[in-house]
């Protein structure tokens, strides 16, 4: 078991930087946080509102502001709601739009009868020009590219390969049996590629392969690639051959020397998928990166590192103000250590991307997720967090915190453009 529990203030965990203590000392657990916001007792303008992002409105007299509103303004304020808020019941998401008093109990039969009688007795719309049978209004569309009308012509100029004339000039009325005989004779004389087209048009896709079916629908005709008979072979799918990704050829020793020399041109260190590098050399690389003042991106994805190397990464995050991207995905780091790494980003507030998915334990635990959530809410620089949260509250509040950080950057950019 752990030695002691972490302390939390009403607005979140106490900052280890302000207290001067190590929040993540060894052998320590986390206490579940309380609600995000707390309000004082009602009744006076001196009440305070505590919560993330509400520091600027602590001294606002909300009771006085509400007292100055009229009845109509209060009604409009009461009707201001989010219809997409799934946390509210439908009765509160839908605005009341009926002002008439009910005329009596609901009876479906009487309502349906009333609607039917109203529809029958309602006057039809007045037509500006009365309808006349056989009269053509407007101009008809004539396709210039269409083939001249006649035997063998079709829609859009496409030649119809099968032309059946079922009408007997000597017989005004043909029986159904005679029509079937004529159709059967016409189909026996038709070539097989025309029958394939006819089967595609009639939707008999079970006897055709895919190219034959789509060629028939689009009027392209059957070619040798799609097959011109019902027994046409379906060509197998030929997958595209892509070259394998080259192995990571990063020279770790050269990176260590350049980081020790504080090389300004070395801003990205990527040793992803290099499992053959010894853990001792990885620790040397991390210690050397702590001495560099120009490193911006550090990636150790799929390198089989554990908590021992993660402690060195924690020092790197705390001591490197230039570091912006940290990627430690697909390793063997425990959830407690991940929480410590994320908490370390609060010291410099320079990390904008933190990726740490696919670790040894698939589930972080509710206490760890709540602590990570509060850490992200305190951090004003993080824009992307690659951590798989299981709790719905943690996912929602982390997404809101990152959205606020994006909005903060947008406001700064607009202020810079207006001052320029």
């Amino acid at each position: 078991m752990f030695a002691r529990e972490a302390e939390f203030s009403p607005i979140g965990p106490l900052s280890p930087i302000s207290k001067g203590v190590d929040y993540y000392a060894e052998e320590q657990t986390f206490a579940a946080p309380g609600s995000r916001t707390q309000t004082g007792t009602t009744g006076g303008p001196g009440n305070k509102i505590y919560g993330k992002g509400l520091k600027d409105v602590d001294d606002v007299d909300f009771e006085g502001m509400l007292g100055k509103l009229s009845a109509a303004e209060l009604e409009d304020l009461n009707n201001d709601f989010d219809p997409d808020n799934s946390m509210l019941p439908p009765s509160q998401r839908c605005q009341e739009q009926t002002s008439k008093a009910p005329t009596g109990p609901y009876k479906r039969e009487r309502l349906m009868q009333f609607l039917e009688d109203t529809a029958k007795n309602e006057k039809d719309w007045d037509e500006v020009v009365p309808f006349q049978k056989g009269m053509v209004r407007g101009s008809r569309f004539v396709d210039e590219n269409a083939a001249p009308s006649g035997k063998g012509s079709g829609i859009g100029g496409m030649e119809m390969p099968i032309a059946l004339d079922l009408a007997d000039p000597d017989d005004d009325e043909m029986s159904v049996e005679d029509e079937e005989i004529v159709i059967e004779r016409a189909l026996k004389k038709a070539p097989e590629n025309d029958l394939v087209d006819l089967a595609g048009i009639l939707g008999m896709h079970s006897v055709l392969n895919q190219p034959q079916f789509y060629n028939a629908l689009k009027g392209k005709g059957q070619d040798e690639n799609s097959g011109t008979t019902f027994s046409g072979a379906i060509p197998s799918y030929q997958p595209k051959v892509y070259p394998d990704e080259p192995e990571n050829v990063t020279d770790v020793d050269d990176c260590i020397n350049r980081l020790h020399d504080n090389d300004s041109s070395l801003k990205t260190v990527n040793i992803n998928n290099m499992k053959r590098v010894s853990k001792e050399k990885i620790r040397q690389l991390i210690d050397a990166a702590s001495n560099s003042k120009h490193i911006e991106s550090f990636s150790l994805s799929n390198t089989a590192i554990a908590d021992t190397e993660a402690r060195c990464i924690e020092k790197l995050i705390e001591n490197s103000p230039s570091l912006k991207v940290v990627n430690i995905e697909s390793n063997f780091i425990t959830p407690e250590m991940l929480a410590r790494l994320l908490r370390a980003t609060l010291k410099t507030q320079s990390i904008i991307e933190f990726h740490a998915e696919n670790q040894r334990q698939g589930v972080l635990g509710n206490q760890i997720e709540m602590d990570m959530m509060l850490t992200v809410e305190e951090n004003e620089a993080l824009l992307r967090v690659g951590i798989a949260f299981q709790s719905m509250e943690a996912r929602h509040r982390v997404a809101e915190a990152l959205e606020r950080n994006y909005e903060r950057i947008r406001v700064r950019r607009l202020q810079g453009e207006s001052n320029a």
Side-chain angles (χ1 to χ4, degrees):
M1 296 297 294
F2 300 111
R4 62 184 182 86
E5 295 184 350
E7 299 176 346
F8 289 87
S9 68
I11 62 173
L14 296 177
S15 174
I17 303 170
S18 60
K19 291 182 61 179
V21 298
D22 186 6
Y23 180 81
Y24 280 102
E26 297 293 334
E27 302 298 327
Q28 175 180 318
T29 185
F30 309 100
S35 60
R36 180 169 52 171
T37 58
Q38 297 180 1
T39 57
T41 57
T42 59
N47 294 331
K48 297 290 184 179
I49 297 179
Y50 302 98
K52 306 302 297 180
L54 298 177
K55 297 180 181 178
D56 298 335
V57 297
D58 283 347
D59 299 329
V60 178
D61 185 8
F62 288 100
E63 296 293 337
M65 294 172 60
L66 294 176
K68 297 178 182 179
L69 298 178
S70 62
E73 292 174 340
L74 288 175
E75 184 66 21
D76 292 340
L77 183 61
N78 188 34
N79 293 333
D80 188 10
F81 54 86
D82 183 10
D84 296 329
N85 187 2
S86 60
M87 305 300 293
L88 294 176
S91 59
Q92 298 183 18
R93 280 183 280 165
C94 301
Q95 183 178 2
E96 181 67 29
Q97 298 179 354
T98 57
S99 57
K100 295 175 60 177
T103 58
Y106 171 73
K107 294 183 179 180
R108 184 178 183 278
E109 292 77 8
R110 293 184 58 183
L111 177 60
M112 298 300 294
Q113 186 64 34
F114 171 77
L115 294 177
E116 185 178 352
D117 296 340
T118 303
K120 290 180 179 179
N121 299 328
E122 189 177 11
K123 183 181 178 181
D124 294 336
W125 295 347
D126 295 332
E127 294 186 2
V128 180
V129 180
F131 173 75
Q132 295 181 7
K133 186 177 181 180
M135 180 179 179
V136 179
R137 299 189 178 107
S139 58
R140 294 182 177 180
F141 173 76
V142 179
D143 191 0
E144 298 178 355
N145 300 324
S149 60
K151 189 175 181 179
S153 62
I155 301 175
M158 183 180 67
E159 182 182 355
M160 299 298 292
I162 302 177
L164 300 178
D165 188 5
L166 302 181
D168 190 353
D170 298 332
D171 190 3
D172 296 336
E173 294 183 0
M174 182 179 293
S175 62
V176 178
E177 292 78 5
D178 295 337
E179 290 182 359
E180 294 179 354
I181 294 173
V182 173
I183 294 176
E184 185 178 355
R185 291 176 181 176
L187 294 179
K188 286 182 178 180
K189 297 179 181 179
E192 193 166 5
N193 59 340
D194 293 344
L195 296 178
V196 171
D197 282 333
L198 183 60
I201 295 173
L202 296 177
M204 303 170 62
H205 53 80
S206 59
V207 297
L208 305 176
N209 57 36
Q210 259 189 347
Q212 290 175 345
F213 180 70
Y214 285 109
N215 287 343
L217 292 182
K218 297 178 181 179
K220 293 183 178 180
Q222 306 300 333
D223 51 13
E224 295 180 357
N225 295 329
S226 62
T228 57
T229 62
F230 290 103
S231 61
I234 301 177
S236 61
Y237 171 71
Q238 299 297 332
K240 297 181 180 179
V241 179
Y242 294 98
D244 295 335
E245 293 186 3
E247 295 185 0
N248 195 338
V249 294
T250 302
D251 191 347
V252 180
D253 294 329
D254 181 64
C255 291
I256 293 175
N257 296 331
R258 294 175 63 184
L259 291 172
H260 275 301
D261 297 338
N262 197 14
D263 189 356
S264 60
S265 62
L266 183 59
K267 298 182 179 181
T268 301
V269 175
N270 187 335
I271 60 171
N272 294 343
N273 305 317
M274 298 181 65
K275 294 184 178 181
R276 298 180 181 179
V277 180
S278 63
K279 301 299 184 293
E280 180 63 28
K281 185 163 293 186
I282 292 178
R283 287 192 291 268
Q284 293 177 6
L285 179 65
I286 299 173
D287 294 338
S290 302
N291 300 326
S292 176
K293 304 301 180 183
H294 306 283
I295 185 71
E296 296 181 358
S297 177
F298 200 78
S299 299
L300 298 92
S301 176
N302 194 24
T303 53
I305 61 175
D307 288 2
T308 305
E309 292 76 25
R311 293 188 184 94
C312 301
I313 299 176
E314 180 184 6
K315 297 179 181 178
L316 169 64
I317 295 174
E318 292 178 348
N319 300 327
S320 180
S322 63
L323 189 62
K324 298 183 181 300
V325 179
V326 175
N327 184 0
I328 52 174
E329 294 179 346
S330 303
N331 286 301
F332 303 102
I333 303 175
T334 58
E336 291 80 6
M337 194 66 222
L338 290 179
R340 290 179 54 177
L341 292 175
L342 192 59
R343 173 63 59 172
T345 61
L346 295 176
K347 186 170 183 179
T348 59
Q349 297 268 349
S350 63
I351 304 293
I352 62 175
E353 294 186 22
F354 183 84
H355 304 279
E357 286 186 313
N358 192 21
Q359 301 296 332
R360 174 183 295 174
Q361 294 179 231
V363 179
L364 299 175
N366 186 66
Q367 292 182 347
I368 301 294
E369 289 188 2
M370 293 298 105
D371 184 78
M372 287 184 172
M373 174 193 69
L374 295 175
T375 300
V376 175
E377 289 181 338
E378 291 181 22
N379 198 315
E380 298 182 356
L382 277 174
L383 301 179
R384 295 181 180 88
V385 176
I387 298 176
F389 293 103
Q390 300 293 327
S391 172
M392 180 67 72
E393 180 184 5
R395 291 200 299 268
H396 179 67
R397 290 174 60 175
V398 166
E400 285 186 343
L402 298 180
E403 185 177 354
R404 288 195 298 268
N405 293 343
Y406 272 107
E407 180 66 17
R408 192 176 292 111
I409 292 177
R410 188 186 70 86
V411 171
R412 291 174 186 171
R413 185 182 69 252
L414 294 178
Q415 291 177 353
E417 292 177 356
S418 60
N419 297 332

